[in-house]
Amino acid sequence: MIISGSDDDSNNGMKFTTTHKLKRSITRKWYDRLEESIIFDESDDDGLTFPHNNALLITLHILDTDVKRIMVDDGSGVCIIYPRILTQMTFENKIVSRCIMLTGFNNAVEWKLGEITLSALDGSMTLVTAFHIMDQDTAYNAIVGRPWIHPIRAIPSSLYQVIKFPTPRGIFNMHRE
C-alpha cells in the first residue's frame, strides 16, 4: 500500500522535481449537485458474509481492456499500475520517465519506473488518470487512490464492497468483482 509521495527529492546530490498531473476529462458534464444522499445499508451487502476483512477490488475498463483485481485504496495519494499489465496491453512504449520516490506505510522507499496516463471507464464516466508504474509483485493489477476517487466524487465502502458516486442520472453503484 503506497501512502504518499514527495514532489521534490534528491538522490546522490542530484535533484529531481516532478509535477503531479491529474487530467480530468469526464465524458459527461461534471455533476456538481447531489440531489440524493449516498448511503450504505443492508441492501448493498450483495451476499457478503459478515464480518470480513476483504479489500475492495473492482474491474475498470482501461483503454480497450477490462483490468480486473484493481484495489480501491482511499488512503493512497497515488494511482499505481504494474508493468506486467502494461505489457499485456502493449502500452509499455507510452511510459513517460519520471523519477519520484514513494513511501509506504512501513516507511519503505520505492522508486517508480515511470508514469502513464490512461483513460479508465467506470460505469458512465471516463476519467483520464496518471498512473505511477511500480515494479513489484502484488496480488493486484493496479491500485486506485484519491487521484481517481476524488474527481468523480466517489465514496468507497470496503465493508459493503461497493463504490457509489453521483451522475446526472442518479447515484451509480459499482460493486466488487
Side-chain angles (χ1 to χ4, degrees):
M1 177 186 328
I2 304 298
I3 295 175
S4 64
S6 173
D7 285 341
D8 296 311
D9 291 307
S10 63
N11 184 16
N12 296 332
M14 187 176 271
K15 188 160 180 114
F16 300 98
T17 303
T18 61
T19 303
H20 290 280
K21 297 177 193 149
L22 176 64
K23 298 178 182 173
R24 180 174 47 200
S25 154
I26 298 177
T27 56
R28 299 199 173 270
K29 180 182 162 195
W30 173 253
Y31 192 65
D32 211 15
R33 291 193 43 154
L34 185 60
E35 296 179 13
E36 57 183 298
S37 297
I38 295 179
I39 61 169
F40 298 91
D41 58 24
E42 293 79 27
S43 66
D44 294 310
D45 73 11
D46 196 32
L48 287 171
T49 304
F50 293 100
H52 69 82
N53 292 317
N54 301 337
L56 177 53
L57 301 179
I58 61 171
T59 298
L60 288 178
H61 191 76
I62 299 177
L63 299 174
D64 291 329
T65 306
D66 284 335
V67 180
K68 297 183 179 203
R69 297 199 53 78
I70 297 176
M71 184 175 82
V72 179
D73 182 5
D74 60 351
S76 179
V78 295
C79 295
I80 298 170
I81 196 164
Y82 300 100
R84 66 180 184 275
I85 304 305
L86 295 174
T87 302
Q88 292 171 5
M89 296 170 63
T90 64
F91 278 99
E92 63 273 4
N93 60 342
K94 304 236 186 257
I95 296 172
V96 177
S97 293
R98 298 264 192 265
C99 189
I100 187 171
M101 179 177 63
L102 298 174
T103 306
F105 67 92
N106 61 353
N107 286 332
V109 174
E110 298 286 341
W111 290 93
K112 69 177 191 149
L113 300 177
E115 183 176 280
I116 190 165
T117 302
L118 301 170
S119 298
L121 177 67
D122 51 8
S124 62
M125 300 178 135
T126 301
L127 182 67
V128 177
T129 305
F131 284 87
H132 299 275
I133 302 162
M134 301 289 295
D135 193 10
Q136 295 178 340
D137 290 328
T138 69
Y140 311 111
N141 291 324
I143 298 173
V144 290
R146 291 186 307 270
W148 180 82
I149 296 168
H150 288 181
I152 62 172
R153 300 180 63 211
I155 301 173
S157 171
S158 60
L159 176 64
Y160 289 107
Q161 296 285 290
V162 65
I163 300 171
K164 295 185 177 189
F165 56 90
T167 69
R169 289 180 263 163
I171 303 300
F172 183 81
N173 297 333
M174 180 186 297
H175 290 274
R176 66 189 166 113
E177 296 186 340

